[in-house]
Amino acid sequence: MRKIFLLDFSSQQAKKLPLLLYYHGGGFCNETPFSPACHSYLKTLVAEAEIIVVSVDYRRAPEHTIPVPYDDSWTALKWAASHVNGDGPEEWLNIHADFGRVSFAGDSAGGNIAHHMAMRYGQERLPGINVAGTVLIHPYFWGKERIGNEVHEREAVREGIDAMWHVACPLATTSGCDDPLINPIKDARLPSLGGSKMLVFIAGNDVLRDRGWLYYETLNKNGWGGKVEIMEAKEEVHVFHLSNPSSVNAVAMRRKFISFINEDR
């Protein structure tokens, strides 16, 4: 299932707009595109950015473990691509979506999914679809070795993040939290990431903060060749932009997000 967010086109019926595929967070286990915080955030984003958003309702663990969320998310992209020639099942996309300006984005586990959609796009191009860039908001990346701020985090928190991954991906029995699906730094294919630009948002008081920094630093030096940016919100917590969307830092973050999506318009 997909939830589509679109502007009111009463005054500009044929206008083409960038298309954003958004993947919600929730540790691969919780939340949906219909969760109030996610729904409200995307409504605001659409109104301010003048874009179309397809919010993907992927199946979740523990009933549907990885790779099901990734496969569902790729299926959603293929569904969007079925509108390239103007004869897809959703008329709004036939009329208004600009498939030359497609982006991926997601928060937390959804950021992890957005990364993997960009990776798969780098391997499997879809006719008529041009993915310009990807936005990762507090992405759920992890690893066996504790780095940066993780060293000072409570053991119960670290073990909880480990356990969440094992629920979402029980097949990662040998590699565990160093599986490239959760630790992209271990992925030798990372330089083949699709798109030409990447924006990573991190929060100063988020235990995942330094995983975001490491991802940013690795993309900068591993031969990928695209443009990568990072923005840190000091003193903020994980997905604060959803719980406190009107805060100064959340507004600044949203403005940066919008600028990134629209910079080629």
Side-chain angles (χ1 to χ4, degrees):
M1 182 182 293
R2 282 80 46 180
K3 186 174 181 64
I4 302 174
F5 294 81
L6 182 67
L7 285 169
D8 179 1
F9 277 90
S10 57
S11 62
Q12 37 193 346
Q13 293 297 322
K15 186 175 181 180
K16 293 286 188 179
L17 298 178
L19 174 64
L20 174 69
L21 282 91
Y22 193 90
Y23 312 98
H24 67 82
F28 295 103
C29 300
N30 302 304
E31 307 299 336
T32 76
F34 304 92
S35 299
C38 181
H39 176 86
S40 178
Y41 183 78
L42 292 180
K43 279 184 63 178
T44 301
L45 187 69
V46 163
E48 294 182 356
E50 296 191 357
I51 60 175
I52 300 170
V53 172
V54 173
S55 186
V56 179
D57 191 13
Y58 56 86
R59 288 173 290 175
R60 294 159 292 155
E63 293 83 5
H64 304 284
T65 55
I66 289 171
V68 171
Y70 299 144
D71 291 342
D72 285 356
S73 297
W74 186 254
T75 297
L77 177 61
K78 291 197 293 184
W79 174 84
S82 72
H83 299 80
V84 164
N85 295 322
D87 56 358
E90 176 52 65
E91 194 62 16
W92 279 1
L93 294 186
N94 289 331
I95 296 172
H96 299 298
D98 184 345
F99 294 101
R101 294 180 292 170
V102 177
S103 300
F104 300 132
D107 61 86
S108 195
N112 177 296
I113 293 174
H115 159 77
H116 286 292
M117 294 305 97
M119 288 295 300
R120 189 162 177 177
Y121 175 75
Q123 304 291 320
E124 303 176 37
R125 300 300 175 99
L126 296 179
I129 295 287
N130 177 57
V131 175
T134 302
V135 179
L136 308 184
I137 303 174
H138 312 160
Y140 179 27
F141 297 146
W142 201 237
K144 290 181 179 178
E145 180 182 355
R146 307 308 185 193
I147 65 170
N149 62 331
E150 298 166 10
V151 174
H152 307 291
E153 187 56 74
R154 291 181 295 119
E155 186 62 25
V157 173
R158 299 195 298 254
E159 290 178 351
I161 296 173
D162 291 344
M164 185 183 300
W165 175 245
H166 290 299
V167 169
C169 191
L171 295 179
T173 53
T174 55
S175 53
C177 289
D178 270 346
D179 190 298
L181 296 176
I182 188 69
N183 189 353
I185 308 309
K186 299 291 185 179
D187 192 346
R189 303 172 305 142
L190 188 56
S192 68
L193 185 80
S196 60
K197 59 182 183 176
M198 171 72 67
L199 173 60
V200 183
F201 288 110
I202 58 175
N205 289 336
D206 184 3
V207 66
L208 302 180
R209 180 193 68 197
D210 287 334
R211 294 289 168 179
W213 270 114
L214 181 59
Y215 180 86
Y216 162 78
E217 291 165 353
T218 302
L219 276 187
N220 258 325
K221 64 185 181 184
N222 74 349
W224 172 48
K227 181 179 73 171
V228 57
E229 302 178 67
I230 193 166
M231 180 176 182
E232 179 175 354
K234 303 290 186 180
E235 307 302 325
E236 296 288 3
V237 298
H238 192 63
V239 296
F240 73 93
H241 66 294
L242 298 180
S243 58
N244 191 13
S246 61
S247 68
V248 171
N249 283 333
V251 171
M253 175 179 160
R254 194 167 63 248
R255 286 174 177 166
K256 178 61 178 177
F257 191 160
I258 292 169
S259 173
F260 179 85
I261 295 295
N262 284 328
E263 65 183 0
D264 298 324
R265 291 178 74 171

